[in-house]
């Protein structure tokens, strides 16, 4: 099987490449990545020389480059991770989110139509469902929950999902979509909650918690997400949406306190800052469908996953310290300087 993986130099895409190379050593993988601020070729260094892996630098929204790649490589399966993925950046500058997340997806779908594929898989997010109220713990996102987005990021991801549905129905393209909850684990860019709090705590810097820290996210260890996508590729049904999540809801403030405790740092580092605009209150996935259809269940308990993640950031300081010492400082100042 020859798989084109877009966005494979980012957090989940790189973990997926490692997972697939290990699980299916007979597969051929091609990674297409633009190497934006979030893409890091150093992450892929351990596999760059592997005979069944190839890296191509390029933009999924560059029609000519994408069509040339499909023409020369003829992938049988496409898994699209490539995206602008950070909600706060989408609030600052929505345009690039539409360009990559919507137009980029359209270009990939057009290439699939032109060259033919066995499967196109769109990696989507639970954020397309909007949010749930804190006082209704009985409510969960199912595959039937209507799309109802809050941020430019989630709107762009929902736009891409709708395009996928349209190409499936209109052109009969074999498409699957997965909508996963918040991932955590190795190689997550330090702008996201968990790595940002680990990095700040280690530097004894303030930990900026938005609002009162009461927002709830449903955390899943990244390898469990990768395994779910692999199962969807193997046994999933074209035209189907699969929600992925592990019933692991946590309040932001509790995650931050847990990180501080694990690192032996004082809670006085916590600083409550102005809330994110349009901040979603609670995400919670009902994973019944993927469990019943494909037998998927999360394997990593949060207590173990967060421990492994913190240990990874402690033992890979050079990976994230290089990132936060570069242009990221300007971003951090813009985002948190006067907050
Ligand atoms: P990330 O920001 O860490 O990585 C994104 C990758 O895409 C980077 O390597 C970047 O260089 C690449 N990229 C960006 N624009 C591109 C373009 N125009 N052409 C080619 N490559 C481009 O993101 P992530 O957290 O790994 O998320 C991956 C996917 O999973 C995204 O589609 C995201 O919406 C989805 N998702 C993420 C989470 C999460 O918790 N992180 C949860 C559910 C779904
Ligand atoms: O639910 C899936 C989504 O999860 C993915 O689609 C997105 O790509 C991914 O970035 C993530 O979105 P969130 O906005 O939930 O993740 P983030 O890590 O940015 O924030 C998690 C929570 O922590 C959120 O409620 C905002 C809060 N937060 C975040 C940061 C960066 C803070 O309180 N302080 C911070 O500094």
């Amino acid at each position: 099987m020859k798989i084109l993986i877009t966005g494979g130099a980012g957090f989940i895409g790189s973990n997926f490449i490692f997972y697939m190379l290990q699980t299916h050593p007979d597969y051929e993988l091609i990674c297409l990545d633009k190497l934006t601020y979030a893409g890091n070729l150093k992450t892929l260094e351990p596999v760059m020389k592997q005979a069944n892996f190839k890296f191509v630098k390029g933009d999924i929204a560059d029609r000519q480059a994408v069509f040339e790649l499909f023409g020369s490589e003829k992938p049988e399966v496409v898994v699209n991770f490539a995206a602008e993925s950070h909600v706060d950046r989408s609030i600052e500058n929505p345009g690039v989110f539409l360009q990559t997340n919507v137009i980029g997806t359209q270009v990939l779908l057009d290439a699939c139509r032109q060259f033919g594929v066995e499967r196109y898989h769109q990696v989507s997010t639970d954020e397309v469902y909007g949010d749930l109220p804190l006082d209704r713990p009985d409510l969960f996102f199912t595959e039937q929950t209507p799309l109802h987005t809050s941020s430019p990021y989630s709107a762009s991801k929902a736009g891409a999902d709708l395009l996928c549905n349209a190409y499936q129905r209109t052109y009969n393209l074999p498409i699957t979509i997965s909508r996963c909850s918040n991932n955590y684990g190795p190689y997550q860019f330090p702008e996201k909650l968990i790595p940002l709090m680990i990095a700040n705590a280690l530097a004894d810097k303030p930990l900026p918690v938005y609002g009162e820290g009461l927002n709830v996210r449903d955390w899943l260890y990244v390898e469990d997400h990768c395994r779910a996508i692999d199962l969807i590729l193997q046994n999933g049904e074209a035209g189907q949406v699969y929600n992925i999540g592990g019933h692991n809801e946590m309040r932001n403030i509790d995650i931050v306190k847990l990180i501080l405790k694990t690192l032996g740092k004082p809670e006085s580092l916590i600083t409550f800052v102005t809330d994110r605009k349009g901040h979603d209150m609670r995400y919670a996935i009902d994973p019944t469908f993927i469990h019943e259809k494909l037998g998927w269940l999360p394997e990593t308990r949060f207590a173990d996953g967060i421990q492994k993640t913190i240990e990874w950031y402690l033992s890979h300081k050079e990976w994230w310290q290089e990132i936060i010492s570069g242009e990221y400082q300007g971003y951090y100042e813009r985002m948190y300087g006067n907050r």
Side-chain angles (χ1 to χ4, degrees):
M1 171 116 67
K2 194 171 191 175
I3 309 186
L4 175 65
I5 298 166
T6 67
F11 165 45
I12 308 175
S14 60
N15 276 283
F16 184 71
I17 287 171
F18 300 143
Y19 178 87
M20 292 299 275
L21 285 172
Q22 194 154 30
T23 314
H24 305 284
D26 51 325
Y27 284 10
E28 206 180 320
L29 307 186
I30 302 154
C31 170
L32 173 66
D33 197 296
K34 187 179 175 184
L35 296 181
T36 67
Y37 79 93
N40 192 342
L41 216 41
K42 285 221 169 84
T43 304
L44 294 175
E45 234 163 45
V47 297
M48 283 301 260
K49 292 207 171 90
Q50 224 162 291
N52 57 343
F53 177 76
K54 182 173 178 176
F55 179 82
V56 178
K57 182 170 185 233
D59 184 342
I60 58 163
D62 180 343
R63 185 167 286 268
Q64 193 182 340
V66 167
F67 274 58
E68 275 171 20
L69 183 66
F70 271 71
S72 59
E73 294 291 348
K74 304 215 168 42
E76 296 159 277
V77 169
V78 176
V79 184
N80 181 24
F81 290 94
E84 288 293 334
S85 70
H86 192 35
V87 174
D88 291 326
R89 288 188 194 250
S90 82
I91 294 167
E92 207 186 20
N93 178 21
V96 65
F97 283 73
L98 299 188
Q99 177 64 16
T100 287
N101 300 0
V102 182
I103 302 298
T105 298
Q106 186 218 352
V107 168
L108 291 172
L109 292 170
D110 282 341
C112 290
R113 273 186 73 200
Q114 169 100 9
F115 293 93
V117 288
E118 287 170 22
R119 176 74 64 78
Y120 172 92
H121 183 74
Q122 177 72 3
V123 181
S124 187
T125 167
D126 60 358
E127 294 199 19
V128 299
Y129 298 123
D131 64 351
L132 297 164
L134 288 183
D135 61 357
R136 289 294 305 274
D138 55 315
L139 295 180
F140 297 93
F141 298 137
T142 71
E143 287 77 4
Q144 281 70 48
T145 303
L147 305 191
H148 185 82
T149 57
S150 311
S151 69
Y153 162 70
S154 56
S156 70
K157 292 295 288 184
D161 284 13
L162 291 172
L163 262 184
C164 289
N165 290 342
Y167 274 61
Q168 157 84 33
R169 176 159 172 161
T170 309
Y171 307 116
N172 211 17
L173 263 189
I175 295 174
T176 42
I177 299 175
S178 54
R179 296 184 180 141
C180 189
S181 59
N182 285 61
N183 284 212
Y184 68 102
Y187 299 109
Q188 185 164 31
F189 194 84
E191 68 192 349
K192 304 285 166 62
L193 179 76
I194 289 179
L196 185 145
M197 297 301 165
I198 295 172
N200 282 20
L202 288 173
D204 297 309
K205 278 175 56 177
L207 273 55
V209 174
Y210 299 166
E212 294 176 82
L214 302 180
N215 307 65
V216 169
R217 297 292 182 266
D218 181 0
W219 294 93
L220 186 73
Y221 194 63
V222 62
E223 199 175 274
D224 281 323
H225 185 186
C226 296
R227 193 165 37 80
I229 294 174
D230 185 22
L231 274 176
I232 295 169
L233 295 183
Q234 309 297 328
N235 303 321
E237 196 186 323
Q240 200 52 255
V241 171
Y242 296 88
N243 281 357
I244 308 171
H247 282 306
N248 184 60
E249 292 177 47
M250 307 263 302
R251 300 188 311 177
N252 294 339
I253 188 69
D254 297 326
I255 299 231
V256 171
K257 285 184 178 169
L258 178 63
I259 290 170
L260 286 169
K261 191 170 174 215
T262 309
L263 292 173
K265 299 287 183 176
E267 287 189 6
S268 56
L269 285 174
I270 294 174
T271 312
F272 292 98
V273 300
T274 307
D275 210 349
R276 175 184 277 176
K277 290 190 175 76
H279 199 173
D280 281 337
M281 278 321 296
R282 170 176 168 250
Y283 303 145
I285 285 275
D286 175 355
T288 306
F289 185 72
I290 191 167
H291 174 57
E292 286 181 12
K293 292 288 172 191
L294 304 179
W296 178 87
L297 278 178
E299 286 180 0
T300 305
R301 291 183 327 128
F302 186 76
D304 300 329
I306 193 71
Q307 197 61 41
K308 276 203 273 188
T309 303
I310 293 173
E311 278 164 19
W312 187 88
Y313 279 89
L314 282 171
S315 60
H316 290 76
K317 282 190 182 156
E318 73 300 337
W319 183 88
W320 56 269
Q321 280 179 345
E322 194 176 326
I323 295 171
I324 64 174
S325 64
E327 64 180 27
Y328 179 77
Q329 282 190 357
Y331 162 80
Y332 197 89
E333 189 47 38
R334 267 197 334 274
M335 198 58 73
Y336 297 97
N338 284 318
R339 198 155 182 158

